[in-house]
Amino acid sequence: MKLSSLALTILLMTQTTTANSQEVNVYSYRQPELIQPLTDAFTKRTGIAVNVAFLKKGLIERLKAEGSRTPADLVFTVDISRLNAVVEAGLTQSVQNDFLLKNIPSTYRDPDGHWFGLTTRARIIYASKTRVSEGEVTTYEDLASSKWKDRICTRSGTHAYTLALTAAYLHHHGEVETLNWLEGLKANLAQKPQGNDRAQVKAIWAGVCDISLGNTYYMGKMLGNPDQRAWAESVTVEFPEFQNGGTHVNVSGLALTKYAPNRDNAIALMEFLASPEAQEIYASDNFEYPIAPGTEADPLVKSWGDFTPDNVNLAAIAKLRSDALRLMEVVDFDG
Ligand code: FE
């Protein structure tokens, strides 16, 4: 009897120690190598351990299943649609924090504080160095013009990146024009949508098409890969704009979970990641753009050119995602 109560006391003490230990738990769709340098720096500075669970899929299902007993404090992911899905599932909580508001421009965070962007990537055009002349790439609208007939490659119309761009088109132009644009774009494709963003650049290199839609950071990734370097070197990065806006961008970002057991530590990590220094490191790790006022992208990324990001709040893009998907199905974009 006595022994078992002692055992219970020890057990309780152990649990108390665990609950009081300084840690923060992250569920991440982002690769370990992108995050590790920053979490290490955070731990060194604060003494707070960062435990990261890298997930390939099922993050929302896991958070739902764990409910109020989840160990997760923060969710890291890319693309506004994925951030928004976590919010829409009711798995996040609002953060009102002056430091975050100061360092994350309003375009790149939820007006209600449920998600925050940390870096951006632009959805741009990769253009053949030999078959596309300077100034030929202009606007997103122009991609539907007949001058691009059989010259464009893209990944699936139902992929998050394509849907976000289409949602931005909807925001700028409404449904009828977006439908026309998608039909025109489809008519200009050199082949059915297939493969990822890098596969489109490979197709340009192979002579299948002259331009492709892709995210900026893939240029850096291809240049760093001996098998893909030639693809990257066969193209230039061109920044199209919307006629009445800028270049479409998306974010990598994070959200505080609804039941975050280490809320204060999580907010400390959010502040750390939102700081200009951390943004620049995080952005450089994946050839992205930091967003805090005064920050700069790394020299390679800057060498691709300057651009004006579209100024629509990404929450508006997220809201239009299902409409974008419906239009993709109407035009049978991948068919
Ligand atoms: Fe990507």
Side-chain angles (χ1 to χ4, degrees):
M1 188 71 182
K2 204 156 185 168
L3 198 69
S4 84
S5 90
L6 177 67
L8 184 65
T9 308
I10 290 169
L11 182 70
L12 286 173
M13 279 173 64
T14 313
Q15 283 182 340
T16 310
T17 308
T18 307
N20 286 342
S21 70
Q22 291 293 303
E23 65 174 7
V24 55
N25 300 315
V26 175
Y27 284 0
S28 173
Y29 276 148
R30 301 215 84 186
Q31 296 113 305
E33 63 270 21
L34 297 180
I35 295 167
Q36 183 107 30
L38 288 165
T39 54
D40 286 352
F42 175 75
T43 302
K44 203 170 166 193
R45 186 179 293 191
T46 62
I48 300 169
V50 184
N51 309 308
V52 183
F54 294 100
L55 307 176
K56 288 231 151 128
K57 56 183 179 177
L59 192 150
I60 286 177
E61 291 73 15
R62 184 159 162 180
L63 282 174
K64 272 188 184 164
E66 290 167 347
S68 62
R69 290 182 301 178
T70 187
D73 300 295
L74 291 170
V75 169
F76 287 10
T77 188
V78 296
D79 202 89
I80 181 56
S81 65
R82 292 182 190 130
L83 283 165
N84 193 56
V86 185
V87 176
E88 298 245 291
L91 297 166
T92 58
Q93 62 176 293
S94 174
V95 177
Q96 304 298 329
N97 177 291
D98 288 344
F99 187 82
L100 295 179
L101 299 190
K102 188 177 81 160
N103 285 289
I104 301 174
S106 60
T107 314
Y108 306 125
R109 55 179 157 81
D110 178 22
D112 297 326
H114 280 263
W115 59 263
F116 295 85
L118 291 174
T119 61
T120 59
R121 60 275 298 283
R123 191 121 188 103
I124 50 85
I125 293 292
Y126 289 109
S128 164
K129 279 181 180 168
T130 53
R131 299 185 301 277
V132 177
S133 40
E134 211 180 315
E136 202 177 348
V137 174
T138 55
T139 61
Y140 294 108
E141 289 84 349
D142 180 62
L143 297 176
S145 98
S146 57
K147 85 180 194 207
W148 295 115
K149 182 102 183 97
D150 298 327
R151 297 175 70 192
I152 304 179
C153 282
T154 181
R155 75 193 306 162
S156 169
T158 61
H159 187 273
Y161 300 162
T162 323
L163 287 176
L165 176 63
T166 304
Y169 206 100
L170 269 167
H171 172 83
H172 285 292
H173 295 299
E175 188 149 329
V176 173
E177 284 186 41
T178 304
L179 204 54
N180 288 338
W181 179 70
L182 285 176
E183 279 173 347
L185 178 59
K186 182 186 176 187
N188 287 341
L189 296 181
Q191 61 182 4
K192 284 187 182 184
Q194 58 195 272
N196 56 24
D197 280 2
R198 284 186 248 201
Q200 318 310 317
V201 180
K202 183 184 182 186
I204 295 174
W205 168 80
V208 174
C209 39
D210 294 346
I211 62 171
S212 72
L213 281 163
N215 285 352
T216 36
Y217 54 87
Y218 288 115
M219 188 62 167
K221 287 178 175 266
M222 290 185 292
L223 286 171
N225 182 326
D227 297 333
Q228 300 174 355
R229 193 174 177 97
W231 312 348
E233 287 176 339
S234 75
V235 297
T236 59
V237 173
E238 305 292 331
F239 293 90
E241 294 186 331
F242 283 106
Q243 278 166 2
N244 53 350
T247 298
H248 175 63
V249 299
N250 211 314
V251 287
S252 80
L254 44 66
L256 182 66
T257 66
K258 185 175 182 182
Y259 298 108
N262 307 289
R263 188 175 181 277
D264 291 348
N265 292 348
I267 290 174
L269 180 56
M270 292 175 89
E271 288 187 352
F272 177 77
L273 292 171
S275 70
E277 311 80 66
Q279 280 188 25
E280 287 188 346
I281 295 166
Y282 195 38
S284 297
D285 283 348
N286 195 44
F287 310 104
E288 293 180 85
Y289 300 92
I291 54 181
T295 51
E296 289 191 40
D298 85 12
L300 174 66
V301 174
K302 281 211 289 197
S303 75
W304 302 333
D306 293 328
F307 66 100
T308 306
D310 206 14
N311 63 5
V312 52
N313 184 292
L314 288 177
I317 302 293
K319 283 206 184 82
L320 290 165
R321 184 185 187 276
S322 56
D323 289 332
L325 179 59
R326 182 170 45 81
L327 296 188
M328 283 294 180
E329 286 165 357
V330 169
V331 303
D332 189 21
F333 192 79
D334 290 355

